[in-house]
Amino acid sequence: MKSALLGPFLSAGFRTVASMTPATIDFKPEFQRVLDHQHGLVTARQLRGLGISTRQIQHMVESGQWSAVLHGVYAVTNGPLDRPMMLWAALLFGGPRAILSHRTAAEEWSLVRVDPEGPIHVTVPYRLSAEHQGPTSRKVGRRSDRPVPREGDLLHPGVVVHRSRAHAHILVPTLLPRTSLADTVVDLAVEEPSAPAAARVVVSAVTGTSVSVHTLLRRIEQRPPRRYRRALTDALTFVSSGVQSILEHRYAVDVELAHGLPAARRQSPVLVDGKTLYEDVDYSDSGVPLLVRLDGLRYHSSRSVALRDRRRGNAAELAGKAALVYGWEEVTQRSCEVAAEVRTVLERGGWSGSNPCPRCREYLLTSGG
């Protein structure tokens, strides 16, 4: 890990700065190497190893030349911190074995958008202490006659420290060390408030990133999550069967499974104009020639896509297959109505089955149906 490279800079040989008065601290080469590596951040321990006294540190902060970013972590500037500086500060606060994790690692993996005001999450080995720190604000130096930021402005959003027994196995030694993509996905899912939300995290990751179903299932087995294990494995099973988007997963769970509809074939191939296209949901295996298309777009992104879908629809009609089309709003907000329409076509073709959905039964009771 990069943090381990800082050891030589802390040796007893680099104590030439100790004789300087507070006002004459300058950037010796060994000091500058630490700052360059850590984006201008340094810990009190590193400063003492470089021969800079507590009194000198206090002077630099009180004079407005440095900023006290987190407990024991300083920036050799009084300006705002950019993203790398905030991440480095959190890693330095967590100690030499800290790694970015949870939502912060997800931001670095581009799984979620960066929240500039959200705390930085780091993970340390289980045996180490796990102390959090809340957001810090800028403080104007009491003895400074130079321009400084306004007092009270957010300086750092704070740090949430997690502990892991599997710390050595989840690390990816990037420049800013973080949890692996698979471990980050599982951690992010476990933090969701509900099992369906957790399932959507893993489906989105598998369909939108390079992480595979096999890799996630292996990580779940090797490092069992503290909750939602069944929901996560079920979601990955759906993806293995051909589910390729969040919308398709919602249809499989909220429409098909929740309403007792037969299990459909996913990504069923169809030949159109000499090209192989794929239908999202195909109920032919249940004995009924019914296709369900799931359109996740509010409009067609191009004329070629619109033409493709029209040709695919015509091909289904010529093959004697009924085709129903639903979008995000219908599947997520009107799942019972969607299921009722699909059931009507299936029953018309000779299929029969019970409906276990409690919301549907409640509607029938209250409506007298």
Side-chain angles (χ1 to χ4, degrees):
M1 186 182 298
K2 293 292 183 180
S3 299
L5 299 178
L6 301 179
F9 302 142
L10 308 182
S11 65
F14 298 132
R15 298 188 180 276
T16 56
V17 187
S19 60
M20 298 178 181
T21 62
T24 60
I25 290 179
D26 60 10
F27 297 93
K28 295 291 185 180
E30 54 272 17
F31 188 15
Q32 189 63 54
R33 285 197 294 270
V34 175
L35 298 179
D36 290 344
H37 180 72
Q38 298 175 174
H39 286 261
L41 278 299
V42 64
T43 67
R45 181 178 180 181
Q46 291 171 341
L47 288 169
R48 288 193 296 269
L50 289 163
I52 301 175
S53 68
T54 301
R55 178 170 172 269
Q56 289 171 308
I57 297 172
Q58 183 178 7
H59 167 79
M60 299 303 285
V61 172
E62 291 184 349
S63 65
Q65 299 177 66
W66 291 2
S67 298
V69 180
L70 297 166
H71 179 71
V73 180
Y74 301 92
V76 293
T77 176
N78 61 8
L81 305 184
D82 59 18
R83 175 73 174 174
M85 294 176 73
M86 289 187 178
L87 297 179
W88 258 116
L91 289 172
L92 292 172
F93 172 81
R97 300 190 65 186
I99 60 177
L100 303 177
S101 65
H102 295 78
R103 182 180 174 90
T104 305
E107 293 171 347
E108 293 299 290
W109 284 114
S110 299
L111 293 172
V112 297
R113 292 182 179 179
V114 173
D115 179 6
E117 297 186 358
I120 307 298
H121 292 259
V122 302
T123 290
V124 299
Y126 189 79
R127 66 179 180 274
L128 300 182
S129 61
E131 296 183 0
H132 310 315
Q133 175 162 349
T136 57
S137 302
R138 301 186 186 279
K139 294 179 175 60
V140 175
R142 295 197 297 268
R143 299 196 296 266
S144 176
D145 57 359
R146 66 182 65 197
V148 293
R150 293 181 306 173
E151 184 167 5
D153 288 350
L154 180 67
L155 180 60
H156 194 281
V159 184
V160 177
V161 183
H162 306 265
R163 295 187 298 170
S164 173
R165 290 186 173 90
H167 179 274
H169 305 287
I170 62 179
L171 164 65
V172 174
T174 49
L175 181 60
L176 289 167
R178 61 186 185 231
T179 50
S180 72
L181 178 56
D183 288 294
T184 300
V185 170
V186 175
D187 288 340
L188 193 65
V190 170
E191 294 299 310
E192 290 293 323
S194 67
R200 289 195 288 273
V201 169
V202 296
V203 172
S204 178
V206 172
T207 58
T209 73
S210 60
V211 68
S212 67
V213 171
H214 175 72
T215 299
L216 285 176
L217 286 173
R218 187 174 69 248
R219 296 309 286 157
I220 290 173
E221 180 181 354
Q222 294 171 340
R223 184 177 168 237
R226 59 184 173 84
R227 60 178 180 176
Y228 304 147
R229 181 173 183 175
R230 176 67 182 273
L232 299 183
T233 53
D234 286 350
L236 292 171
T237 300
F238 275 120
V239 175
S240 296
S241 70
V243 167
Q244 293 188 352
S245 69
I246 292 293
L247 178 58
E248 292 180 29
H249 179 253
R250 291 293 296 270
Y251 178 87
V253 174
D254 298 345
V255 176
E256 196 171 273
L257 186 62
H259 294 86
L261 299 177
R265 187 192 315 163
R266 314 289 171 188
Q267 307 307 318
S268 180
V270 57
L271 191 64
V272 179
D273 297 335
K275 297 181 180 180
T276 301
L277 303 179
Y278 298 89
E279 297 288 0
D280 300 321
V281 181
D282 185 350
Y283 287 105
S284 298
D285 291 347
S286 65
V288 181
L290 170 63
L291 303 174
V292 174
R293 296 197 185 110
L294 302 171
D295 185 3
L297 299 176
R298 293 182 180 274
Y299 52 85
H300 292 298
S301 59
S302 67
R303 293 179 63 183
S304 63
V305 173
L307 174 61
R308 180 203 66 189
D309 286 349
R310 289 199 301 271
R311 296 295 297 147
R312 187 173 61 169
N314 291 345
E317 186 64 30
L318 291 171
K321 294 184 177 181
L324 299 175
V325 183
Y326 301 105
W328 179 263
E329 289 79 8
E330 300 101 294
V331 171
T332 60
Q333 300 174 22
R334 301 164 57 186
S335 60
C336 290
E337 295 178 38
V338 171
E341 293 177 358
V342 174
R343 179 180 291 276
T344 296
V345 178
L346 289 172
E347 290 177 344
R348 188 186 299 160
W351 176 86
S352 62
S354 61
N355 180 3
C357 177
R359 288 189 300 164
C360 291
R361 291 201 300 268
E362 181 179 350
Y363 172 77
L364 290 174
L365 289 174
T366 57
S367 63

